[in-house]
Amino acid sequence: KAVAEALKVNRVLTILGLQQNRIGANGAIAIADALEFNGVLTTLELGVNNIGTVGAKALADALLVNRVLTALYLYGNDIQDQGAIALA
């Protein structure tokens, strides 16, 4: 959650790699909330963090607001069909 809070005020960092950090669905939800405020991050790597369908849906909702993020890596997160549909 500390990373998510920092992302809300970030004005410099454009690429963030958080692969294999055990973020989970709650962490993905916190990051998704931060993405609604962040206007500079273009690449977010969240591979292998067990975010699941719930985390994927939260990120999908954030992308409706955030128009700056152009690359989102979610490999190895077991997002299931519903998470993939939300992100499509």
Side-chain angles (χ1 to χ4, degrees):
K1 289 187 177 185
V3 170
E5 290 302 313
L7 279 178
K8 286 183 180 180
V9 296
N10 169 55
R11 300 291 176 257
V12 179
L13 188 68
T14 59
I15 299 171
L16 180 60
L18 294 173
Q19 309 90 316
Q20 300 182 22
N21 276 288
R22 300 180 187 160
I23 290 171
N26 288 336
I29 291 168
I31 289 171
D33 179 55
L35 287 176
E36 293 184 17
F37 297 93
N38 184 289
V40 295
L41 194 69
T42 60
T43 303
L44 179 58
E45 300 179 10
L46 294 176
V48 192
N49 273 299
N50 196 33
I51 68 168
T53 301
V54 172
K57 286 182 177 181
L59 290 166
D61 288 344
L63 293 177
L64 295 173
V65 176
N66 182 307
R67 299 292 183 193
V68 177
L69 192 72
T70 56
L72 176 61
Y73 298 93
L74 297 174
Y75 59 89
N77 274 297
D78 196 29
I79 64 173
Q80 304 293 319
D81 290 344
Q82 294 303 315
I85 290 168
L87 287 161

